[in-house]
Amino acid sequence: MTQTALTLSPDADGIATAARLLATGALVSFPTETVYGLGADARRGEAVAAIYAAKGRPSFNPLIVHCADTRTARSYVQWSDLAERLARAFWPGPLTLVLPLGGDHGLSSLVTAGLDTVALRVPKHACAQDLLKAFGGPLAAPSANPSGRISATTAAHVMAGLGDRIAAVVDDGPCPVGLESTIVSLAGETPTLLRAGGLAPEEIEVVLGTPLAVQAGSEIIAPGQLASHYAPRARVRLNAQHALEGEVLLGFGPGACDLNLSPMGDLTEAAARLFDHLHRLDATGAPIAVRPIPNTGLGLAINDRLARAAAPRA
Ligand code: TXA
Ligand code: MG
């Protein structure tokens, strides 16, 4: 018989229940400022394995470890001056740093998928902070969607995708940023952008004082880069001015359409609505046409997600 996940409120009782469930090795979804995460104790292999199972995620895909603060994050890795600068500027917030693992880190090797680096993030969202403090340990948390599907930005998305496979979801409304965190690797010679996301690369470059390298070649470092990773069921057509017969139109800026990412043409608003609008249009069953979106600031990450949604399926 399939069980349905508990829906918890983000008050003291709900957070305490969520922390207790996590301590038993169960899976609990919780909101962050970017997207809903599917959390489990990052030190327990079986709890982390349950994440891969629930998501149907390929096992070579490593997970982000969420920490309450920079001090906790530092304890798992070989920290550096650059890491310190970026952490001071952007943590807590929508930035994930990939760093070489330290000695005695205690994290499950399933979290890192056997790599000698780990992705760390200190989320800003009050509910994520409360839960990390109540739980008192690191939480592995990929986005709370079945693998290859659209990320969840509301508790309803989580329930629709994973409701029969997890213990609980903490419902604290829609995620304010609406796009996953920006991932920067500090594990190599040069700071490298692995995934565009909720923090604009330009802001990171100001703090670094140098341009970010962009990952070259075909080697998959962040499998979020797999061509058809963010796939709605429907076919997606980009840079469309109008819907063709039978299509639904996802708008940006002024003009008639079925759903609009931002009638005012505001990229931050568009990012926050992206996954929700894709979920809703996908539910119509019709192919989705998308108006052009400028390729600057958060537009880079939005277009990156849309290009994946439109990529031919493997
Ligand atoms: O905003 C976010 O980052 C959300 C929320 C829940 O925090 N989490 C998220 O996690 O998007 P996930 O698992 O869906 O994406 C993690 C990405 C993957 O593409 C993974 O390959 C990459 O991070 N990653 C994790 N560890 C890595 C590592 N050691 N080296 C390179 N990439 C890594
Ligand atoms: Mg994801």
Side-chain angles (χ1 to χ4, degrees):
M1 217 180 74
T2 50
Q3 292 246 291
T4 303
L6 291 172
T7 298
L8 302 171
S9 43
D11 57 15
D13 275 357
I15 295 292
T17 303
R20 229 174 11 250
L21 286 167
L22 287 165
T24 69
L27 302 183
V28 175
S29 175
F30 61 95
T32 78
E33 65 275 26
T34 57
V35 297
Y36 272 71
L38 176 56
D41 188 335
R43 300 161 298 193
R44 289 172 66 156
E46 75 283 13
V48 177
I51 292 180
Y52 289 107
K55 283 186 63 101
R57 169 177 262 205
S59 59
F60 56 76
N61 203 343
L63 307 176
I64 296 174
V65 174
H66 296 64
C67 305
D69 48 40
T70 301
R71 191 174 53 85
T72 310
R74 283 181 68 142
S75 70
Y76 302 120
V77 291
Q78 299 168 40
W79 199 240
S80 64
D81 288 348
L82 280 182
E84 182 67 26
R85 261 162 60 198
L86 293 181
R88 277 180 196 235
F90 301 115
W91 279 355
L95 172 68
T96 293
L97 294 178
V98 173
L99 287 157
L101 275 167
D104 283 338
H105 53 76
L107 299 171
S108 152
S109 62
L110 263 186
V111 165
T112 58
L115 299 175
D116 54 9
T117 56
V118 64
L120 296 172
R121 160 158 144 71
V122 178
K124 187 174 193 152
H125 197 284
C127 177
Q129 277 287 329
D130 289 348
L131 183 59
L132 283 162
K133 287 188 185 116
F135 176 63
L139 290 176
S143 49
N145 52 280
S147 191
R149 295 284 171 205
I150 303 165
S151 296
T153 54
T154 65
H157 296 160
V158 177
M159 288 299 279
L162 298 170
D164 59 349
R165 301 182 223 170
I166 65 177
V169 55
V170 186
D171 184 355
D172 198 11
C175 301
V177 175
L179 278 179
E180 293 92 337
S181 60
T182 299
I183 305 182
V184 170
S185 173
L186 298 177
E189 299 269 282
T190 332
T192 302
L193 182 67
L194 297 186
R195 177 175 78 183
L199 178 66
E202 293 91 328
E203 289 193 51
I204 299 169
E205 289 174 339
V206 167
V207 171
L208 288 174
T210 54
L212 283 164
V214 177
Q215 192 195 331
S218 59
E219 195 193 350
I220 294 163
I221 295 183
Q225 298 165 344
L226 283 173
S228 77
H229 192 71
Y230 296 92
R233 274 167 249 272
R235 185 175 56 71
V236 177
R237 188 169 65 86
L238 303 180
N239 294 315
Q241 293 300 342
H242 305 282
L244 301 176
E245 182 74 33
E247 286 181 336
V248 286
L249 183 61
L250 179 60
F252 178 84
C257 58
D258 293 278
L259 283 177
N260 203 322
L261 290 170
S262 172
M264 303 285 291
D266 178 322
L267 288 167
T268 304
E269 180 177 54
R273 292 181 176 171
L274 178 65
F275 289 123
D276 188 59
H277 281 9
L278 283 175
H279 276 288
R280 287 165 60 188
L281 292 179
D282 201 22
T284 68
I288 303 169
V290 187
R291 282 243 172 79
I293 301 188
N295 213 24
T296 55
L298 286 184
L300 282 169
I302 294 171
N303 283 319
D304 172 79
R305 299 301 184 277
L306 286 169
R308 288 175 209 295
R313 307 298 148 77

